[in-house]
Amino acid sequence: MTDTAEPEVPVVRALTPGARKILDAAEELFYGRGITAVGVDLIAKEAGVTKKTLYDRFGSKDTLVAAYLRARDERWREWLTERVARSGPGAHARTLATFDALAEWMSERNPRGCGFVNAAAELPDPGHPGRKVIAEQKRWLRGLLRGLAEEAGARDPGLLADELALLHEGAMVLHGLAVVDDPVRVARSMAEPAMERAGCVR
């Protein structure tokens, strides 16, 4: 590996039991307290392992941060796609179901708002491996929304996907800040007229 090569992010679903304990502890601490506020000593202590074991399994804190974000990404994708599929065959209903799924996800698992947005604010270096995971996650969501916009018959599915992605992201940020009462519901109510303007078929 050269000095400019990106650290390899471990495959989250193929972790050893020790690595899983470390990642579980890191996920709780990173999301609950913030990435920069949490050191590897605390993570190792909470996981019940030595710091050497942590470095043996992940190599660096940066790589562990990326693995934490990857694990969140995998859970979110699985959560969202399952609930969208369960909402029925119509693309219009499935598009709005992305907001219903978001509301459930935020209320049950994310009191501090979007873990990816929070992490991005703490990781200013564009070369950090976590930034790549964050960007991939956001591109994936926009891609999902664009596909649904196409299926729903939007005249410009790319533009509608941008609008819906902005509504998703804004709702997540405001949920974490507790500025707007039920921001996901508001975002969903704004998505419906946006879909109508785009020519989506119910």
Side-chain angles (χ1 to χ4, degrees):
M1 176 187 295
T2 66
D3 291 340
T4 58
E6 294 183 359
E8 183 178 351
V9 180
V11 178
V12 174
R13 297 185 186 278
L15 296 177
T16 65
R20 171 55 63 185
K21 289 169 62 178
I22 294 166
L23 184 58
D24 288 345
E27 287 193 62
E28 183 174 350
L29 291 166
F30 285 153
Y31 183 76
R33 302 188 190 184
I35 291 170
T36 56
V38 173
V40 294
D41 290 298
L42 179 58
I43 296 169
K45 178 182 177 182
E46 292 296 313
V49 302
T50 65
K51 191 161 66 170
K52 180 180 183 302
T53 299
L54 185 151
Y55 283 119
D56 285 345
R57 298 295 184 272
F58 290 94
S60 69
K61 179 182 175 181
D62 286 351
T63 305
L64 178 56
V65 168
Y68 147 68
L69 293 167
R70 181 74 73 198
R72 288 188 70 86
D73 183 21
E74 290 181 358
R75 285 197 304 276
W76 168 237
R77 294 189 194 203
E78 183 177 352
W79 173 278
L80 184 57
T81 54
E82 189 274 332
R83 277 156 181 75
V84 168
R86 199 171 63 189
S87 67
H92 191 283
R94 287 189 290 124
T95 302
L96 293 177
T98 65
F99 292 92
D100 299 330
L102 176 62
E104 188 178 354
W105 173 266
M106 298 303 288
S107 65
E108 292 187 5
R109 304 183 179 206
N110 296 271
R112 294 189 64 243
C114 177
F116 301 101
V117 171
N118 295 348
E122 293 195 77
L123 304 175
D125 180 4
H128 192 288
R131 296 286 302 199
K132 179 180 179 181
V133 179
I134 294 166
E136 288 175 354
Q137 194 279 326
K138 299 306 181 183
R139 282 194 293 267
W140 174 83
L141 176 61
R142 185 193 176 280
L144 175 70
L145 294 170
R146 191 184 195 287
L148 289 169
E150 288 179 349
E151 292 177 31
R155 288 185 293 272
D156 187 340
L159 176 59
L160 180 58
D162 289 342
E163 293 176 346
L164 296 176
L166 284 167
L167 290 172
H168 266 265
E169 294 302 314
M172 284 188 280
V173 170
L174 291 179
H175 174 87
L177 295 174
V179 172
V180 175
D181 184 33
D182 200 355
V184 181
R185 177 186 57 80
V186 176
R188 189 187 192 280
S189 70
M190 295 173 68
E192 292 190 75
M195 294 174 67
E196 290 179 6
R197 290 194 303 272
C200 292
V201 179
R202 287 184 177 273

